[in-house]
């Protein structure tokens, strides 16, 4: 039975879709079968980030309305085996889907796959409730700024109320330079507030935008630090214990120190 | 806080000994002794200004007090300031002219009230309340979160959100937290926005209505 993981944030634009696409690809590259579900009904873009826009024929809406079989709506990735996307309808809106319908889809998908990653829309309303309805676990994405962190905190409270567990944190768009000169919160500050397990830190990287525009997930760029960060997060998701490198202090020694942080 | 009838404070112009109204000279002397023994640094050779909140002490009493401060604690009195308006006795006081008298210390004003324990962090968007008693949080109160209590609030973590103690107007209520980074503190009708505490992180701090009739945040001292 596969795991259903919702990727969510509260605040918009912090990197949920980027994270879903890259983790989905990375997990598939590690020989897992993965379905990435776009739950951002009306504003779908997971298919674009993954370069699959032209292959979309059916959407989750068609499945719910019984216009097609779930299997037929899944779009196969063109680069790696075992990765599929369930696109969201672009012409509907979030209220057209009920949480139970999303849960039913996730439950069906988990019987056939190792991982079901659900790309949640921003916000705490229906779209979020739909996306988290079928999830056992969550990944909360935040950028290291106070407004994103406060929204992440809000979302974590809602996920805990829904008894979704574990809840892991990705800090995205992290900039060692900005932390160094005191204009960005450091990892410890973020963890002190959110008080959940950190599963990875993805650096600020202009390569993310170019990869989005080309429709090729970043993880294929082996030399890129953010690609490596996503690969490590995928490994941690599969249970491997890999230290989180300390981006704040690029010494050889300190890189070895910051082991997979357990904080509770 | 052992006793709030007499408070020793450091201001820009030096130490001030603030004496609340309606005290006899014996009460004042006892309170001074407690307040000075509470200080963990030596005051030897320092000078103080005595701020009398009302002229209830006689001139001779003030003189003998100054003499005793010099003799007993090696404290020189550089000035005595007396508030000229007499203050109404505490019994008749409206909520705004409360007095924290020796009998209302934080231990005994809530004897039989229930307190409520919240065994986790209060996150953004969450509110916890205990209108009839005190609230104890085993965690933080994050920005966007809110706690309210009729009595005291104790946060065994960082207070970043909003805290309202003494919500039914009880001005003797206090807010205690490991660290204060709150957006908004309220005790009774007294409000303070974004107070910054000078105390180091990680040592308990207490917010209460101090001698200047405003919310102060200081290091927590056992009574
Ligand atoms: N590590 C990064 N470095 C630089 N840019 C990034 C990074 N992560 C994401 N971005 C950029 O931020 C923007 C938003 O990313 P993305 O669409 O993944 O966020 P989202 O949380 O899914 O947004 P929404 O809430 O609208 O769904 C994109 O332009 C993306 O390229
Ligand atoms: Mg998105």
């Amino acid at each position: 039975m596969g795991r259903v993981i919702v990727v969510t944030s509260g605040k918009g634009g912090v990197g949920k879709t980027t994270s879903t696409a890259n983790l989905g690809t990375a997990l598939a590259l590690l020989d897992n079968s993965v379905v990435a579900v776009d739950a951002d009904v009306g504003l779908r873009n997971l298919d674009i980030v993954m370069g699959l826009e032209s292959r979309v024929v059916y959407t989750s809406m068609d499945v719910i309305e019984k216009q097609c079989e779930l299997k037929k709506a899944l779009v196969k990735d063109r680069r790696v085996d075992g990765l599929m996307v369930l696109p969201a309808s672009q012409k509907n809106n979030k209220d057209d889907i009920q949480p139970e319908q999303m849960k039913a889809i996730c439950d069906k998908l988990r019987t056939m796959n190792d991982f079901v990653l659900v790309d949640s829309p921003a916000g705490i309303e229906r779209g979020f409730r739909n996306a988290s309805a079928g999830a056992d676990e969550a990944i909360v994405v935040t950028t290291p700024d106070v407004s994103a962190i406060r929204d992440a905190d809000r979302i974590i409270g809602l996920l805990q109320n829904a008894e979704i567990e574990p809840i892991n944190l990705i800090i995205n768009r992290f900039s060692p330079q900005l932390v160094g000169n005191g204009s960005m919160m450091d990892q410890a500050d973020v963890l002190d507030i959110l008080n959940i397990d950190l599963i990875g830190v993805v650096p600020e990287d202009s390569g993310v935008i170019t990869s989005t525009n080309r429709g090729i997930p970043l993880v294929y760029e082996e030399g890129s630090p953010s690609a490596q960060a996503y690969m490590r997060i995928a490994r941690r998701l599969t249970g491997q214990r890999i230290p989180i490198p300390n981006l704040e202090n690029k010494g050889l020694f300190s890189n070895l120190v910051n082991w997979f942080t357990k904080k509770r | 806080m052992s006793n709030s009838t007499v408070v020793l404070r450091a201001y820009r112009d030096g130490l001030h000994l603030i004496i609340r109204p309606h005290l006899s000279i014996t009460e004042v002397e006892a309170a001074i002794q407690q307040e000075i023994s509470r200080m963990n640094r030596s005051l030897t050779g320092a000078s103080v200004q005595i701020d009398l909140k009302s002229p209830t002490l006689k001139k001779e009493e003030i003189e003998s007090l100054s003499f005793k401060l010099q003799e007993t604690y090696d404290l020189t009195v550089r000035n005595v300031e007396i508030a000229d308006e007499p203050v109404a006795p505490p019994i008749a006081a409206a909520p705004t002219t409360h007095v924290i008298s020796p009998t209302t210390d934080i231990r005994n004003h809530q004897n039989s009230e229930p307190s409520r324990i919240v065994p986790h962090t209060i996150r953004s968007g969450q509110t916890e309340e205990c209108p009839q008693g005190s609230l104890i949080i085993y965690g933080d109160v994050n920005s966007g979160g809110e706690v309210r209590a009729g009595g005291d609030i104790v946060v065994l973590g960082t207070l970043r959100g909003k805290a309202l103690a003494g919500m039914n107007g009880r001005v003797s209520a206090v807010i205690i937290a490991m660290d204060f980074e709150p957006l908004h503190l309220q005790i009774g009708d007294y409000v303070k926005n974004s107070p910054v505490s000078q105390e180091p992180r990680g040592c308990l701090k207490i917010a209460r209505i101090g001698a200047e009739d405003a919310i102060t945040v200081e290091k927590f001292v056992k009574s």
Side-chain angles (χ1 to χ4, degrees):
Chain A
M1 207 52 132
R3 293 153 65 184
V4 181
I5 307 177
V6 60
V7 181
T8 183
S9 69
K11 190 174 182 216
V14 297
K16 296 176 293 294
T17 302
T18 306
S19 296
T20 308
N22 281 288
L23 291 178
T25 306
L27 286 166
L29 289 170
L30 296 170
D31 289 333
N32 295 285
S33 62
V34 185
V35 178
V37 178
D38 192 342
D40 204 347
V41 177
L43 290 170
R44 86 165 185 235
N45 47 32
L46 184 61
D47 53 315
I48 302 176
V49 174
M50 298 181 70
L52 299 173
E53 194 185 6
S54 61
R55 297 192 178 190
V56 174
V57 182
Y58 298 105
T59 67
S60 51
M61 202 65 218
D62 299 314
V63 177
I64 287 166
E65 290 174 342
K66 305 217 161 36
Q67 301 295 309
C68 84
E69 286 283 304
L70 176 55
K71 260 192 174 153
K72 234 171 106 187
L74 298 176
V75 180
K76 265 198 165 64
D77 187 65
R78 60 169 101 211
R79 292 181 193 86
V80 57
D81 279 346
L83 176 61
M84 290 177 292
V85 174
L86 179 60
S89 163
Q90 183 68 354
K91 55 177 193 278
N92 291 81
N93 66 55
K94 274 130 191 131
D95 294 332
D96 296 336
I97 292 187
Q98 306 290 325
E100 307 79 60
Q101 295 169 326
M102 274 300 286
K103 184 175 180 335
I105 288 179
C106 291
D107 283 343
K108 209 174 277 175
L109 289 174
R110 80 160 87 215
T111 61
M112 311 180 275
N113 296 278
D114 300 319
F115 286 93
V116 179
L117 300 183
V118 187
D119 180 18
S120 165
I124 56 173
E125 296 84 15
R126 177 58 99 41
F128 162 73
R129 278 188 284 134
N130 285 343
S132 56
D136 340 281
E137 307 172 30
I139 291 176
V140 172
V141 183
T142 189
T143 48
D145 63 274
V146 280
S147 67
I149 288 168
R150 193 204 268 209
D151 292 352
D153 193 49
R154 178 93 168 95
I155 279 291
I156 293 166
L158 297 175
L159 291 167
Q160 286 175 335
N161 287 347
E163 292 177 358
I164 292 176
E165 154 68 65
I167 304 169
N168 282 301
L169 182 70
I170 292 179
I171 303 177
N172 189 25
R173 309 196 71 161
F174 188 82
S175 163
Q177 289 81 13
L178 292 184
V179 170
N181 69 29
S183 46
M184 188 184 268
M185 276 189 184
D186 66 16
Q187 285 176 34
D189 288 342
V190 177
L191 289 178
D192 190 37
I193 295 172
L194 295 180
N195 196 32
I196 56 173
D197 292 345
L198 180 67
I199 196 164
V201 180
V202 181
E204 171 73 27
D205 182 353
S206 57
V208 173
I209 298 154
T210 31
S211 90
T212 300
N213 290 341
R214 289 191 307 165
I216 305 171
L218 197 79
V219 284
Y220 288 108
E221 306 241 341
E222 281 171 20
S224 141
S226 39
Q228 291 163 358
Y230 276 120
M231 275 320 280
R232 283 191 299 266
I233 296 171
R235 289 183 192 279
R236 289 182 197 114
L237 275 176
T238 62
Q240 295 182 33
R241 286 181 61 88
I242 300 169
I244 295 175
N246 190 348
L247 299 173
E248 286 161 27
N249 195 347
K250 280 216 162 109
L252 183 62
F253 182 70
S254 58
N255 272 353
L256 299 170
V257 184
N258 205 12
W259 286 88
F260 191 19
T261 326
K262 256 304 190 209
K263 202 165 174 290
R264 195 141 284 232
Chain B
M1 196 62 217
S2 50
N3 195 326
S4 302
T5 55
V6 169
V7 184
L8 200 54
R9 286 276 158 77
Y11 290 112
R12 199 165 302 186
D13 65 339
L15 284 173
H16 283 229
L17 193 62
I18 302 151
I19 302 173
R20 309 281 332 204
H22 312 295
L23 296 167
S24 72
I25 184 72
T26 18
E27 283 174 309
V28 168
E29 282 174 5
I32 286 176
Q33 204 226 315
Q34 263 199 41
E35 176 71 2
I36 289 181
S37 64
R38 193 172 76 81
M39 307 286 295
N40 42 17
R41 64 191 169 97
S42 158
L43 297 170
T44 306
S47 81
V48 291
Q49 163 164 337
I50 295 180
D51 292 344
L52 266 181
K53 288 298 180 190
S54 80
T56 41
L57 294 186
K58 292 195 212 63
K59 198 162 178 270
E60 310 84 75
E61 287 175 331
I62 297 171
E63 273 168 13
S64 107
L65 185 65
S66 305
F67 182 73
K68 277 195 181 147
L69 283 172
Q70 181 79 64
E71 283 290 280
T72 326
Y73 307 107
D74 194 14
L75 270 174
T76 311
V77 175
R78 63 172 184 278
N79 193 9
V80 179
E81 249 186 50
I82 303 171
D84 17 62
E85 276 169 53
V87 180
I91 307 5
T96 45
T97 54
H98 78 288
V99 170
I100 300 172
S101 71
T103 50
T104 59
D105 82 2
I106 60 175
R107 279 166 310 178
N108 54 23
H109 69 60
Q110 50 176 14
N111 290 332
S112 55
E113 285 172 358
S115 31
R116 200 157 84 73
I117 290 173
V118 181
H120 56 78
T121 286
I122 314 285
R123 296 185 183 272
S124 177
Q126 298 176 336
T127 300
E128 294 292 343
E129 196 179 83
C130 183
Q132 299 309 323
S134 296
L135 197 56
I136 302 165
I137 315 293
Y138 293 175
D140 301 336
V141 177
N142 277 349
S143 164
E146 188 171 333
V147 283
R148 289 194 291 257
D152 300 338
I153 291 171
V154 179
V155 180
L156 298 173
T158 305
L159 175 56
R160 303 185 181 91
K162 218 169 146 176
L164 163 51
M167 58 191 279
N168 306 316
R170 180 196 281 169
V171 287
S172 59
V174 300
I175 301 169
I176 296 174
M178 221 42 207
D179 283 299
F180 275 87
E181 299 166 15
L183 295 170
H184 179 101
L185 286 184
Q186 188 172 343
I187 297 176
D189 293 332
Y190 292 71
V191 172
K192 189 155 182 135
N193 288 315
S194 317
V196 279
S197 139
Q198 254 74 71
E199 306 297 335
R201 288 185 64 86
C203 73
L204 276 183
K205 283 164 270 289
I206 179 167
R208 63 197 163 81
I209 300 171
E212 285 84 49
D213 234 29
I215 295 180
T216 60
V217 180
E218 339 176 285
K219 191 168 162 191
F220 176 78
V221 181
K222 285 184 282 191
S223 40

